[in-house]
Amino acid sequence: MAKLSVSLAQMNIVLGEVKRNTSQMEKWTIEAARRGSHLVVFPELWPTGYALERGKELASVLNSDLFAHVSTVATQAKISIVGSMLEKRGQENISNSAAFFAPNGRMLGVYRKIHLFRLMQEDKYLQGGSSPLVLDLPWGKTALAICYDLRFPELFRRYALEGARMVVIPAEWPLERIDHWRALMIARAIENQCYMVAVNAAGQTGDTVFGGHSMIVDPWGKVVVEAGESPALLTVEIEMDLVGEVRRRIPVFEDRNPNTYEALDLGY
């Protein structure tokens, strides 16, 4: 599959209102499928927002509850779905987890946010993940990351070295730091010569205004599509073969000198 049609579902998440947010997810999934999209991406914690103090009440068990419902929606619409949700793991542990659902409803993998964002008290309420995730999909190897992970280039370089041609990033990135979001998204695409497919929340959720500007950046660093600051469902077709073309044109990975810098202890 050389061409991939992607829909970016930039939601205004209603804090803690799972039914309302799920209804919006269902409507936009159906619309994305009607447009012929292969993949629809939703923001970070799209069912709940950062209602972390209610995490044990609102979280779902993997393969059941809300995860099972999203699987059903993917099957009915015949479309792949990604977006992060609160996952209940055992009696006490809650994770910020992005599952990838195939058009047949199968969960192909789940990525648990590795870098917890203390400014939103994730370190207080959530358990961080420890396993990066690269999936072998019909359009090429695709990796998952979540929001704050964007500030850690090591993760994205690992993904590129493992052959990822695209990284999908659900996010809730505040409006006051939206310039960081744009700059980092473009930088990660350029330095790893891959597509960055990122969906942010938009508008006010609780006490925080999220910045929108969901976007797809191609491996040359060009912004293919970018939303504004209001809720929107954007759909665009991207050319996956461009990844190989860019990597051949500037062979960054062949010119790496990892022995020089990967063994350094920077003392951070």
Side-chain angles (χ1 to χ4, degrees):
M1 181 187 293
K3 295 185 182 295
L4 174 68
S5 181
V6 183
S7 285
L8 311 179
Q10 181 169 286
M11 287 176 57
N12 177 212
I13 302 167
V14 185
L15 189 67
E17 296 291 337
V18 175
K19 288 185 178 180
R20 289 179 61 182
N21 295 322
T22 300
S23 177
Q24 182 65 63
M25 180 276 293
E26 293 167 349
K27 291 175 183 176
W28 274 1
T29 298
I30 292 170
E31 174 58 21
R34 188 194 67 78
R35 296 180 186 183
S37 294
H38 302 105
L39 169 67
V40 58
V41 184
F42 289 89
E44 177 183 24
L45 301 180
W46 63 262
T48 60
Y50 270 90
L52 300 185
E53 70 284 353
R54 297 174 57 198
K56 293 180 182 179
E57 167 197 348
L58 297 175
S60 297
V61 176
L62 203 64
N63 294 316
S64 62
D65 302 332
L66 193 54
F67 286 94
H69 180 68
V70 177
S71 172
T72 299
V73 173
T75 303
Q76 293 173 342
K78 297 181 175 59
I79 190 172
S80 295
I81 300 175
V82 178
S84 91
M85 299 182 277
L86 291 175
E87 177 198 356
K88 186 181 299 182
R89 305 177 69 196
Q91 295 298 316
E92 297 297 328
N93 294 329
I94 307 295
S95 294
N96 184 344
S97 303
F100 188 100
F101 294 93
N104 62 3
R106 182 183 174 193
M107 186 188 300
L108 299 184
V110 57
Y111 169 79
R112 298 177 177 95
K113 190 174 184 179
I114 292 174
H115 303 98
L116 299 182
F117 191 48
R118 66 183 66 206
L119 272 67
M120 298 292 281
Q121 295 189 305
E122 283 191 317
D123 59 328
K124 178 179 178 180
Y125 292 103
L126 303 180
Q127 180 183 48
S130 58
S131 300
L133 178 67
V134 179
L135 301 171
D136 197 357
L137 300 175
W139 53 81
K141 290 187 176 181
T142 300
L144 299 184
I146 299 175
C147 200
Y148 187 46
D149 287 327
L150 186 61
R151 291 186 180 271
F152 299 85
E154 303 92 338
L155 175 62
F156 294 84
R157 177 48 53 92
R158 170 173 172 163
Y159 281 153
L161 293 174
E162 290 183 9
R165 301 169 70 193
M166 184 171 85
V167 184
V168 179
I169 308 177
E172 280 193 89
W173 197 285
L175 178 61
E176 65 177 346
R177 294 187 292 276
I178 205 64
D179 287 343
H180 297 192
W181 163 267
R182 297 193 75 260
L184 291 169
M185 204 66 65
I186 294 169
R188 297 292 164 265
I190 293 171
E191 65 196 9
N192 297 298
Q193 299 176 321
C194 67
Y195 277 101
M196 298 289 288
V197 176
V199 177
N200 194 19
Q204 187 158 345
T205 301
D207 296 330
T208 304
V209 177
F210 293 99
H213 287 272
S214 299
M215 62 173 62
I216 296 178
V217 185
D218 77 13
W220 194 248
K222 178 183 176 181
V223 177
V224 178
V225 67
E226 181 175 358
E229 295 175 5
S230 301
L233 180 68
L234 302 183
T235 302
V236 68
E237 187 176 75
I238 58 177
E239 177 56 70
M240 296 303 297
D241 287 345
L242 181 60
V243 177
E245 292 176 16
V246 171
R247 290 178 177 178
R248 286 189 294 271
R249 184 172 178 181
I250 304 181
V252 170
F253 304 113
E254 296 176 26
D255 294 333
R256 293 177 69 247
N257 193 351
N259 291 333
T260 303
Y261 40 77
E262 289 189 353
L264 292 177
D265 181 3
L266 300 179
Y268 292 162

